[in-house]
Amino acid sequence: MKKITATETLELSIPERIQLVEDIWDTIAAETYAIELTEDEKRIIDERLEAFHRNPDLGSPWDDVYKRIVNKR
């Protein structure tokens, strides 16, 4: 595989850059075991999971959250 610089990536077309980002993301996602959570991140996840179990109806479905985000643009 030919190595390219960050500057050279700007010479790629938009679709080529999107594909490059997707390819990079796929290599990261394939190695999720290498991602280490900090103790603070683990604590936050545990707290949120506990809050969910206490009140699973609290919050919004993803579709509603997504629509709010998109509509703010």
Side-chain angles (χ1 to χ4, degrees):
M1 173 184 229
K2 177 185 180 272
K3 292 186 179 184
I4 61 174
T5 66
T7 304
E8 289 172 324
T9 63
L10 298 176
E11 296 172 6
L12 298 172
S13 68
I14 297 290
E16 289 171 323
R17 283 186 268 167
I18 291 170
Q19 185 61 57
L20 177 61
V21 170
E22 289 177 358
D23 293 345
I24 292 170
W25 182 253
D26 289 345
T27 65
I28 293 168
E31 298 182 33
T32 55
Y33 61 87
I35 299 172
E36 190 76 29
L37 295 176
T38 67
E39 290 304 315
D40 281 342
E41 291 167 332
K42 291 175 186 177
R43 180 185 49 75
I44 290 169
I45 291 169
D46 288 341
E47 288 171 359
R48 291 180 182 177
L49 186 57
E50 184 179 324
F52 169 75
H53 286 296
R54 281 194 310 268
N55 191 351
D57 296 325
L58 189 63
S60 301
W62 168 243
D63 289 338
D64 294 346
V65 174
Y66 180 78
K67 288 175 187 172
R68 286 197 308 262
I69 293 169
V70 170
N71 289 332
K72 286 186 179 183
R73 292 184 183 174

